[in-house]
Amino acid sequence: MMHNSIDLLLKQWGTLIQSCRAERESQSQFAKRLGVGRSTVSALENGSAQVAVGTYLQAMLVLGLAGSFGDWLSQQEQDQQRQRFRHPVQRLDNDF
């Protein structure tokens, strides 16, 4: 069972890939360019965890989304850095 945030991420990637691919070509045409079967493209666009991460990345490269993905990764890293330095709010218990 995948962690919910990973499932969500894969679904977001799949949706992005599907919307960009659909503007240009069929799943079969894209599968040929990607070097995979049409069923793999379908699984990829549905956010399947059974598809290798490398296939997701290759699909983004083929579609010209590598820059967008790099920007996204950079933003994720910045968000993680900010979260590491946040101090939890300490709540005082007034139950004496």
Side-chain angles (χ1 to χ4, degrees):
M1 183 173 175
M2 297 295 288
H3 192 273
N4 284 341
S5 60
I6 294 172
D7 281 340
L8 178 61
L9 176 62
L10 292 176
K11 293 223 182 293
Q12 289 171 340
W13 287 358
T15 299
L16 175 64
I17 291 167
Q18 192 269 340
S19 65
C20 290
R21 187 268 316 150
E23 292 175 2
R24 305 172 188 182
E25 60 196 331
S26 70
Q27 281 187 338
S28 296
Q29 293 167 324
F30 186 58
K32 285 181 186 174
R33 288 200 315 141
L34 202 53
V36 300
R38 196 205 56 76
S39 62
T40 299
V41 171
S42 179
L44 174 96
E45 292 180 352
N46 286 312
S48 172
Q50 302 304 311
V51 177
V53 171
T55 304
Y56 279 95
L57 297 177
Q58 184 65 28
M60 289 181 199
L61 284 170
V62 167
L63 292 170
L65 297 172
S68 299
F69 183 69
D71 293 344
W72 178 85
L73 280 177
S74 178
Q75 184 62 47
Q76 294 302 308
E77 187 174 294
Q78 289 174 12
D79 291 348
Q80 285 180 350
Q81 289 293 331
R82 280 193 289 270
Q83 288 177 358
R84 284 186 195 137
F85 294 108
R86 284 191 186 146
H87 298 289
V89 175
Q90 192 171 25
R91 299 187 187 254
L92 299 175
D93 187 339
N94 63 357
D95 189 14
F96 296 95

